[in-house]
Amino acid sequence: MKLIHLLIWQLTALAGVCLVAGCGDDTLAGKWEYKEVNRFKSPDSQIEAVLVEGDAGATTSTVTSIYLVQTGGKRPSDERINPAVFAADHIKGLKITWKQPKLLQVQYDEARILAFKNFWYSAEAQNFRYVVEIRLEPTASEFSLPLRDRQWW
């Protein structure tokens, strides 16, 4: 049983790394499928935080990602052009809030964070002059990494 848990953990970690590194939509676990869950418009209506979930089936965790795009824009399919500013799995209590224009707060109770950037800019957003700060705010005063990710089986 421990070997099965270890294998599942390794496949999940590999899938998360491939998602963040842009290894493509096909992995050992299967074909990745993504769905847009929600959009959060900045107070000045310039930018949207796009919440996306992706998974490759039963052997992978659902990876939750946040992308920033101009309002109404599409998330580029190429991660090298516009990578996620946040990607995590095993997430609980996710809350995305624009605190003010150009300041996005990502709050969570628990998460295994696979990727995070604390800033974003784009040629399409005022020719790189519209810079957004992304701030992580775990709600827990102790651990925010889930217990299952802090233990070795």
Side-chain angles (χ1 to χ4, degrees):
M1 190 65 162
K2 286 184 179 183
L3 183 58
I4 291 171
H5 284 275
L6 178 60
L7 181 59
I8 290 171
W9 183 84
Q10 287 176 334
L11 281 173
T12 301
L14 174 65
V17 167
C18 280
L19 174 72
V20 172
C23 297
D25 288 341
D26 294 319
T27 67
L28 295 173
K31 182 166 179 60
W32 277 88
E33 296 192 19
Y34 305 93
K35 68 176 181 178
E36 185 176 311
V37 177
N38 206 348
R39 286 180 174 243
F40 304 86
K41 193 179 290 187
S42 64
D44 62 3
S45 300
Q46 296 295 307
I47 303 297
E48 287 180 313
V50 182
L51 183 64
V52 174
E53 290 182 349
D55 69 53
T59 60
T60 64
S61 294
T62 297
V63 174
T64 301
S65 302
I66 301 171
Y67 297 86
L68 297 181
V69 299
Q70 281 194 291
T71 297
K74 289 187 175 186
R75 176 184 64 87
S77 57
D78 187 344
E79 281 279 326
R80 293 171 292 183
I81 294 171
N82 187 12
V85 295
F86 174 86
D89 64 0
H90 308 166
I91 194 160
K92 290 183 185 173
L94 180 64
K95 183 178 176 187
I96 299 167
T97 309
W98 285 96
K99 301 305 280 183
Q100 58 185 348
K102 302 182 181 184
L103 180 58
L104 181 70
Q105 178 177 287
V106 178
Q107 194 173 43
Y108 60 95
D109 298 334
E110 291 185 350
R112 183 172 67 164
I113 298 172
L114 306 168
F116 172 68
K117 284 179 56 177
N118 72 338
F119 72 99
W120 174 89
Y121 58 81
S122 169
E124 289 78 33
Q126 297 178 8
N127 197 27
F128 298 106
R129 289 189 303 259
Y130 192 102
V131 179
V132 175
E133 178 180 340
I134 300 93
R135 185 176 295 167
L136 288 181
E137 295 281 341
T139 59
S141 61
E142 295 292 324
F143 291 99
S144 60
L145 183 65
L147 179 62
R148 69 181 179 176
D149 297 315
R150 290 185 273 131
Q151 297 179 345
W152 191 255
W153 290 290

